[in-house]
Amino acid sequence: MVSEKGIPPAQRLLDAAVQLFYAEGIHAVGVERLIAEAGVTKATFYRHYRSKDDLVVAYLEHKDTTTRAALLGATAGLEPQQALPALFAAIAAYSCGPGFRGCPFINAASEYPDRTHPVRQAVTAHRTWLRTTLSELLAALDHPEPESTARQLVYLRDGILMAGYLDSPDAVDATARHALLGIVGEHTVHN
C-alpha cells in the first residue's frame, strides 16, 4: 500500500498509479485496486481524477517530467559533441536497470490505439519533446539534417528501450553507441 500519513490523497493515487501501471499494465489495474493501494475512498479518487484515464494522463505526465530531468541531467554542462553520446548512454543504462519493464510511453500507446485519445496525446507530447531536443542538439552540431536525423534517433531510442528489456547491458550499450555513430556520423560526436 502506498498510503502514508502526511501525503495528500492525490499524490498517493499518483504514486500507486506510477507503481502499478508500470509494473502490471494500465488496463490490468482497475480503479478499485488503485483506491486500495492509495488508501483512499472512491469519492476521494473521483474528486481528484474524473476518470481512470485522467489518472493515466497524470501518470504519463509524471513519467515525462522524470524522464526529461534524467536526460537533461545526463547532458548538463556538456558540449553538444559529448551530449549526444551521454544522452544515449543514459538511455541504455536506464533500459538495463533493475525493474525496467519497457518504455512507459510505448507501453501506454500499445494499450490506447486511438491517436486522438488524451493518453496517446500525452505520449505524443513526450516524443515531440524528445525529437525537438535531439534536433536542437544536432543543429548545434551543424548537422545537415537535424530534424530527420532526430526522428531516426527517437527510433533508435525506442529500439534501445526494447533491447534493454530483452538483452544484456553490455550488448545494449555497445550497440547503442555504434548505432548512434552510424546515424549521426563519427565526426559529429565524441565519446
Side-chain angles (χ1 to χ4, degrees):
M1 182 178 287
V2 176
S3 177
E4 293 182 30
K5 291 189 181 243
I7 299 175
Q11 185 62 51
R12 291 197 317 258
L13 284 162
L14 181 58
D15 291 347
V18 167
Q19 177 186 357
L20 295 172
F21 289 162
Y22 187 68
E24 298 179 22
I26 295 167
H27 290 318
V29 178
V31 170
E32 295 298 327
R33 174 99 182 274
L34 291 162
I35 288 169
E37 289 291 323
V40 301
T41 65
K42 187 178 272 193
T44 300
F45 177 92
Y46 288 108
R47 185 171 35 254
H48 294 288
Y49 299 100
R50 290 176 296 150
S51 68
K52 179 182 169 186
D53 285 348
D54 286 348
L55 181 56
V56 174
V57 170
Y59 155 72
L60 291 172
E61 289 171 347
H62 170 78
K63 287 292 194 179
D64 177 64
T65 299
T66 57
T67 301
R68 287 183 191 213
L71 294 180
L72 294 175
T75 61
L78 297 178
E79 295 296 323
Q81 294 87 351
Q82 291 86 32
L84 273 173
L87 185 125
F88 277 86
I91 292 169
Y94 165 70
S95 74
C96 295
F100 183 76
R101 296 194 40 85
C103 172
F105 303 98
I106 294 172
N107 293 349
S110 72
E111 293 193 52
Y112 289 83
D114 179 0
R115 292 178 185 271
T116 64
H117 192 281
V119 169
R120 283 295 293 270
Q121 290 173 356
V123 170
T124 299
H126 174 74
R127 293 176 68 78
T128 299
W129 169 81
L130 180 59
R131 191 175 59 252
T132 300
T133 300
L134 291 168
S135 181
E136 289 169 355
L137 268 175
L138 290 162
L141 293 167
D142 294 323
H143 194 281
E145 298 178 7
E147 290 183 27
S148 64
T149 304
R151 186 173 299 279
Q152 292 176 53
L153 292 177
V154 170
Y155 298 159
L156 172 60
R157 173 230 176 232
D158 293 347
I160 291 168
L161 293 177
M162 293 308 298
Y165 187 59
L166 301 171
D167 295 332
S168 75
D170 291 340
V172 171
D173 185 55
T175 303
R177 255 185 284 118
H178 182 74
L180 174 64
L181 293 175
I183 292 171
V184 300
E186 290 188 37
H187 63 282
T188 307
V189 297
H190 302 294
N191 290 320

